[in-house]
Amino acid sequence: KIDTSSFSSTSFFSSDTATITTTVTAVNDAPSVSAEPVLAGVEDTVLSIDAAALNFADIDDGASLDSIQITTLATSGTLFRDANDNGAVDSGEAIVLDQKINAADLDTLKYAPADNVNGVAAATLGYTVSDGADSSQPAIATINLEPVNDLPTAIVPDQVDVIEDQLSPINLSALDFSDVDGDTDVVVTLAATA
């Protein structure tokens, strides 16, 4: 209220209403990663990384994922863009530190685990998301890999000589068996051919 008191008027106080127009100019708010993702894969199997799994979030209406930037390389295995969709890391496809990947290319983003690596948090990688104007704070994606059973390996001599129709001792110490999974209960079956 505005005090317009006057001793000469019939009213001691009077008021008037005024309108003030305020213009608020919108500014871009940086996007965020709504929750650090946990990606699930299988040992020795290439994992496709879906853009939705990266948890892009932005409070600005109409904002969408423009790109991501890799801030920390995978701690194990290889992150790559599978340009020819053959499921293998070919020359020039491995992601490098600080590489930007446009949203339109995220359907080619894949992770190749290191051989025989598995378990919870088998690997992690860091990234930011961008709306084209600003980027989020770095986030960490965790990759869990379900183990698979690997075949054991055997090293055997090329041949063992025995005498026909006679009991012949065979020295088994020359045989070597191992299992990358750490299994100690390896069953050995020997077969002889004439």
Side-chain angles (χ1 to χ4, degrees):
K1 288 186 173 184
I2 302 172
D3 183 1
T4 58
S5 59
S6 171
F7 291 106
S8 61
S9 71
T10 56
S11 170
F12 189 71
F13 290 100
S14 63
S15 65
D16 195 7
T17 303
T19 303
I20 298 173
T21 303
T22 304
T23 303
V24 178
T25 304
V27 296
N28 186 63
D29 293 289
S32 64
V33 174
S34 60
E36 292 190 326
V38 177
L39 309 174
V42 178
E43 173 187 343
D44 298 332
T45 303
V46 170
L47 171 66
S48 294
I49 300 178
D50 182 70
L54 300 176
N55 297 331
F56 171 85
D58 198 317
I59 63 171
D60 293 326
D61 288 337
S64 61
L65 179 63
D66 177 76
S67 63
I68 69 168
Q69 185 170 11
I70 303 304
T71 58
T72 307
L73 293 175
T75 54
S76 174
T78 305
L79 190 64
F80 70 107
R81 283 196 50 227
D82 194 5
N84 58 4
D85 198 28
N86 68 351
V89 183
D90 299 316
S91 178
E93 290 184 338
I95 299 295
V96 296
L97 187 62
D98 295 326
Q99 183 170 340
K100 178 181 170 184
I101 305 163
N102 292 325
D105 297 324
L106 285 175
D107 61 343
T108 65
L109 185 61
K110 296 182 181 179
Y111 167 75
D115 288 344
N116 301 312
V117 171
N118 62 65
V120 175
T124 60
L125 61 96
Y127 68 99
T128 59
V129 294
S130 173
D131 59 9
D134 293 302
S135 294
S136 69
Q137 292 296 313
I140 300 295
T142 300
I143 301 172
N144 296 338
L145 296 174
E146 186 72 28
V148 295
N149 186 40
D150 293 285
L151 295 174
T153 58
I155 298 173
V156 297
D158 290 336
Q159 75 178 43
V160 176
D161 295 323
V162 295
I163 300 172
E164 182 181 359
D165 297 330
Q166 290 186 16
L167 186 61
S168 300
I170 299 175
N171 183 359
L172 295 180
S173 65
L175 306 177
D176 183 24
F177 302 95
S178 63
D179 193 323
V180 71
D181 295 323
D183 295 333
T184 56
D185 298 331
V186 176
V187 176
V188 178
T189 303
L190 298 176
T193 58

